[in-house]
Amino acid sequence: MPTFLITGAAGFIGRSIAAALLARDESVRGVDNFITGKAANLAGLERMQFLDGDLTDPVLCERACAGVDTIYHQAALASVTRSVEDPLGTNRNCLDATLNLLVAARAAGVRRIIYAGSSSAYGENLVLPKHEAMLPDPISPYAAAKLAGEYYIRAFAHVYGLEAVVLRYFNVFGPYQDPASQYSGVLAIFCQKMVRGEEPTIYGDGQQSRDFTYIDNVVHANLLAAAAPALRVSGKAINVAVGVRISLNEVVEILRDLTAYNGRVVYGPPRQGDIQDSQADIRLARELLGYEPMVDFREGLRRTVEWYRRTVLQPSNQAVLI
Ligand code: UD1
């Protein structure tokens, strides 16, 4: 029986955690419903036992949790814009899925669950950097659903003794992130476009900023969260980021340099539900997990551009093995 379950294993964060665990020779099960996950992302993960299914189905959750010790719960419909258009779909795939998984995890005797929380929980609170003691202020259905998932996770830790760690990710980016959807993360879209010589569009004036976090940092934090003593981390929400914010205008300038794109940048109206600035205080991650960012923004973006160069220029637009 596999020791680890990764939900959203065909998504870019899930597949990256799976790759790290397999590299350690761990026994891994993955599950994905392919709403946003991609079969191509499973390339290289053949040793992972894989379930094609949806966590809104309690029977599938039971199968997924059987015999498992630790869950990395990465499955979600990750997009603020998508949630504004379809709040029910977001709720189903973020919150209902999480609660089903928790019920099944408890029944199966799973020891620990690590939950992919979101920096969107902090919302419009103007205080920077965002720290975990701040009152959450979700301003999009996505933020509300992800935050409600956190509360369920922590409630399960409290009443059923399930060890539960929430990692609040700040704008994760890197290889395997899907660039092809209107709901994709901005760096995936910009890398694809600028590598292809196409114009990126900035929604708003480009002064909005994010604590863009390279995927290796997030994988690192997950592995630490699985190994940390329960007394120290269970029931806690912990920021995972670099601790530096970069504006979209700065992003475009760095990308010009990395991609040699010299065309224009289009500016459009700001997006609904968008927040202005985001930057994490990562002291708690340092203290509780011994976390330290391993890859800074520029190096992460360089590696990401290299990856998109190798993949998006392929005619099929499918990920290929590195
Ligand atoms: C938010 C969360 C993030 C979460 C993500 C899931 C915050 C601070 N961050 O990200 O942790 O993982 O939701 O979706 O709440 N943009 C453009 N042009 C584009 C695409 C996007 O200008 O083509 C802009 C957006 O309007 C936004 C910024 O880029 O201002 C980042 O957008 P996006 O990558 O979608 O992530 P967030 O919504 O910030």
Side-chain angles (χ1 to χ4, degrees):
M1 282 283 195
T3 314
F4 296 99
L5 170 68
I6 301 173
T7 70
F12 109 98
I13 300 178
R15 76 87 53 209
S16 304
I17 295 172
L21 291 174
L22 292 172
R24 288 181 171 187
D25 257 339
E26 301 287 3
S27 153
V28 183
R29 179 183 294 147
V31 59
D32 207 293
N33 60 9
F34 295 109
I35 295 181
T36 55
K38 299 271 172 291
N41 285 349
L42 297 174
L45 306 180
E46 288 74 17
R47 279 188 296 118
M48 175 171 73
Q49 185 190 101
F50 184 75
L51 295 178
D52 179 349
D54 199 307
L55 299 176
T56 58
D57 170 8
V59 177
L60 185 276
C61 286
E62 249 175 66
R63 283 177 58 211
C65 290
V68 162
D69 176 79
T70 300
I71 301 175
Y72 296 93
H73 180 31
Q74 311 301 308
L77 273 189
S79 165
V80 168
T81 308
R82 186 196 283 261
S83 79
V84 173
E85 289 165 9
D86 178 19
L88 284 174
T90 291
N91 192 73
R92 227 174 6 256
N93 288 285
C94 292
L95 189 54
D96 293 349
T98 296
L99 188 51
N100 277 339
L101 183 69
L102 284 170
V103 168
R106 180 190 171 219
V110 170
R111 186 178 55 86
R112 180 169 298 192
I113 181 163
I114 297 151
Y115 174 72
S118 170
S119 63
S120 58
Y122 294 110
E124 277 188 315
N125 190 321
L126 294 177
V127 176
L128 289 176
K130 315 284 189 192
H131 61 83
E132 296 84 347
M134 283 168 61
L135 212 54
D137 182 19
I139 60 161
S140 66
Y142 173 73
K146 289 301 287 186
L147 183 63
E150 276 194 20
Y151 289 149
Y152 269 116
I153 295 265
R154 291 156 85 174
F156 268 62
H158 203 73
V159 296
Y160 303 125
L162 181 66
E163 297 174 13
V165 189
V166 172
L167 298 181
R168 283 192 186 150
Y169 299 162
F170 281 66
N171 289 71
V172 189
F173 72 100
Y176 296 94
Q177 190 171 27
D178 178 18
S181 151
Q182 56 172 318
Y183 305 118
S184 297
V186 67
L187 293 186
I189 296 173
F190 282 11
C191 285
Q192 160 158 287
K193 282 191 184 284
M194 292 170 78
V195 159
R196 285 179 168 166
E198 296 167 5
E199 293 170 353
T201 301
I202 290 183
Y203 301 122
D205 61 7
Q207 289 306 325
Q208 69 264 51
S209 61
R210 296 290 184 271
D211 194 335
F212 290 109
T213 306
Y214 186 65
I215 182 68
D216 286 15
N217 299 323
V218 172
V219 171
H220 178 51
N222 272 278
L223 300 182
L224 291 169
L231 273 177
R232 194 187 305 162
V233 295
S234 185
K236 299 274 183 1
I238 305 170
N239 291 341
V240 173
V242 178
V244 175
R245 70 192 169 92
I246 318 266
S247 74
L248 286 191
N249 289 329
E250 289 172 302
V251 163
V252 165
E253 283 319 303
I254 298 172
L255 276 175
R256 279 188 188 283
D257 195 29
L258 292 171
T259 62
Y261 174 79
N262 58 10
R264 56 180 208 129
V265 174
V266 179
Y267 286 83
R271 273 180 172 177
Q272 263 189 314
D274 224 11
I275 66 155
Q276 184 60 30
D277 296 306
S278 175
Q279 180 181 3
D281 183 329
I282 56 170
R283 279 178 299 178
L284 196 64
R286 286 196 167 108
E287 187 191 320
L288 298 183
L289 301 177
Y291 165 84
E292 204 56 57
M294 301 172 85
V295 181
D296 68 17
F297 174 69
R298 198 182 165 102
E299 171 58 16
L301 200 56
R302 189 193 67 73
R303 294 185 196 178
T304 305
V305 165
E306 281 316 303
W307 187 83
Y308 282 109
R309 227 194 274 283
R310 285 201 298 274
T311 55
V312 301
L313 298 177
Q314 309 270 322
S316 65
N317 195 20
Q318 290 286 298
V320 292
L321 262 182
I322 309 178

